[in-house]
């Protein structure tokens, strides 16, 4: 019998690899069209928001989209004014994955992966294999979430883990910083928010505590573009730092009203509540900054 800690780490690993597999293959399927679409944006921020939402849903990674924007900025194809709307849209688009995860889809992970792998293994056509690889990625994401849920159910009796969570509850700023660092390392806000959903479903953290994790995940996801901008020109750095400032300022605006925010959205299904907090936070922030 595997330990609960090992099961939780394995779940996070499957989740991360599934996100990478889905994102990389989606980018290969649509990369050239995406670059062409972004490069045609002019001074139409509202259109840019919808483009950002669409691209993030397609690629399943806001970090990948913002990194692409940084690359286009380095090449002199776009300016910050052109892509700021897209940046706002990526923040909303990345919440769709979390919404899917909150619909109790974990049980379908292994069947979905197995089904897609059979067709991936038998097919010789590259576009079809990439499409099946995307489905395999989602299967691993769902299976990883299932393992995380099982692991967190078991480790709720572990003193060190419980003490850490209690410390985060008493020091929400520390919780935001730690989850931001974790998100920066794993390159996915969905992993952090998915983990928070599992902890909340296990009764280890409250909705208010989970929302602080959501804040940290949103700040941490900006690290991908910041790293990508290190070798770029000033336009690339503008785009990356604008993304970081937007996320950090959004968290600052919400931070002092977190308890009221949690009470407003609270229902009988805490996993849905965590996912909804992620979505509502990003929609309101995008409207404010638009």
């Amino acid at each position: 019998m595997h330990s609960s800690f090992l099961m939780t780490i394995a779940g996070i690993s499957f989740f991360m690899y599934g996100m990478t597999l889905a994102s990389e293959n989606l980018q290969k399927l649509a990369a050239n069209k995406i670059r062409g679409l972004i490069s045609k944006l002019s001074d139409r921020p509202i259109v840019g928001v919808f483009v950002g939402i669409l691209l993030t849903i397609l690629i399943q990674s806001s970090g990948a989209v913002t990194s692409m924007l940084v690359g286009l900025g380095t090449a002199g194809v776009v300016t910050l004014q052109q892509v700021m709307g897209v940046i706002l849209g990526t923040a909303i688009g990345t919440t769709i994955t979390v919404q899917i995860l909150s619909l109790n889809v974990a049980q379908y992970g292994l069947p979905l992966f197995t089904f897609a792998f059979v067709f991936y293994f038998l097919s010789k056509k590259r576009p079809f294999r990439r499409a099946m690889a995307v489905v395999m990625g989602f299967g691993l994401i769902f299976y990883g979430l299932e393992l995380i849920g099982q692991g967190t159910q078991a480790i709720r009796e572990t003193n060190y883990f419980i003490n850490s969570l209690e410390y985060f509850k008493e020091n929400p700023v520390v919780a935001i910083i730690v989850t931001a660092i974790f998100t920066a390392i794993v390159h996915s806000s969905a992993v952090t928010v998915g983990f928070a959903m599992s902890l909340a479903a296990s009764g280890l953290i409250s909705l208010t505590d989970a929302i602080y994790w959501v804040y940290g995940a949103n700040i941490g996801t900006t690290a991908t573009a910041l790293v990508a901008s290190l070798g770029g020109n000033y336009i690339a750095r503008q785009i990356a730092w604008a993304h970081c400032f937007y996320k950090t300022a959004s968290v600052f605006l919400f931070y002092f009203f977190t308890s009221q925010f949690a009470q407003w959205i609270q229902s009988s299904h805490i996993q849905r509540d965590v996912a909804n907090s992620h979505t509502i936070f990003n929609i309101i922030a995008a409207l404010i900054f638009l």
Side-chain angles (χ1 to χ4, degrees):
M1 188 68 180
H2 297 302
S3 70
S4 55
F5 178 76
L6 180 61
M7 189 175 293
T8 304
I9 297 300
I12 294 172
S13 301
F14 278 118
F15 196 116
M16 289 170 57
Y17 182 68
M19 287 292 295
T20 302
L21 187 64
S23 178
E24 287 182 350
N25 282 279
L26 282 167
Q27 287 183 66
K28 289 174 182 176
L29 285 169
N32 292 330
K33 294 179 181 178
I34 289 172
R35 291 191 183 94
L37 179 63
I38 294 174
S39 64
K40 291 178 182 178
L41 287 175
S42 56
D43 298 326
R44 291 174 290 182
I46 295 178
V47 175
V49 170
F50 285 104
V51 169
I53 294 171
L54 178 63
L55 293 183
T56 310
I57 292 172
L58 288 175
I59 295 182
Q60 287 299 305
S61 173
S62 60
V65 176
T66 50
S67 294
M68 191 181 299
L69 297 178
V70 167
L72 292 171
T74 299
V77 177
V78 296
T79 64
L80 175 61
Q81 287 77 11
Q82 285 179 292
V83 300
M84 194 62 214
V86 181
I87 291 173
L88 299 180
T90 61
I92 299 172
T94 194
T95 68
I96 303 301
T97 302
V98 175
Q99 287 288 348
I100 294 172
L101 295 178
S102 71
L103 297 175
N104 196 25
V105 293
Q107 58 188 314
Y108 304 113
L110 275 182
L112 190 65
F113 176 83
T114 305
F115 172 82
F117 178 78
V118 170
F119 286 96
Y120 176 87
F121 183 76
L122 295 176
S123 177
K124 300 298 181 183
K125 296 181 180 179
R126 185 173 295 178
F128 184 76
R129 282 170 63 88
R130 284 177 176 166
M132 287 300 98
V134 172
V135 179
M136 287 163 58
F138 276 100
L140 289 175
I141 291 170
F142 297 162
Y143 180 59
L145 193 66
E146 183 179 17
L147 287 181
I148 292 171
Q150 293 173 0
T152 52
Q153 283 281 4
I155 62 177
R156 63 190 306 166
E157 305 300 328
T158 307
N159 289 331
Y160 178 77
F161 187 71
I162 297 300
N163 291 338
S164 298
L165 291 180
E166 288 298 325
Y167 183 76
F168 289 160
K169 291 176 184 178
E170 295 170 4
N171 301 276
V173 173
V174 176
I176 293 172
I177 293 171
V178 171
T179 50
I181 293 171
F182 177 74
T183 305
I185 293 171
V186 301
H187 299 290
S188 174
S189 60
V191 174
T192 305
V193 180
F195 191 34
M197 284 197 302
S198 296
L199 292 174
S202 301
L204 294 172
I205 61 175
S206 67
L207 175 59
T208 302
D209 299 326
I211 292 175
Y212 290 124
W213 286 52
V214 169
Y215 294 161
N218 276 273
I219 294 174
T221 196
T222 67
T224 305
L226 288 172
V227 172
S229 71
L230 292 177
N233 57 15
Y234 77 96
I235 297 176
R237 291 193 293 274
Q238 273 187 333
I239 293 171
W241 280 105
H243 184 214
C244 183
F245 170 77
Y246 157 61
K247 288 287 192 179
T248 305
S250 299
V251 169
F252 180 79
L253 290 174
F254 270 77
Y255 179 82
F256 301 101
F257 306 99
T258 303
S259 297
Q260 294 87 337
F261 182 36
Q263 291 174 4
W264 176 50
I265 64 173
Q266 192 163 21
S267 69
S268 58
H269 197 311
I270 194 164
Q271 286 183 292
R272 295 284 303 137
D273 294 342
V274 176
N276 289 337
S277 72
H278 188 35
T279 301
I280 294 169
F281 164 75
N282 279 291
I283 289 175
I284 293 176
L287 290 173
I288 291 170
F289 280 85
L290 186 60

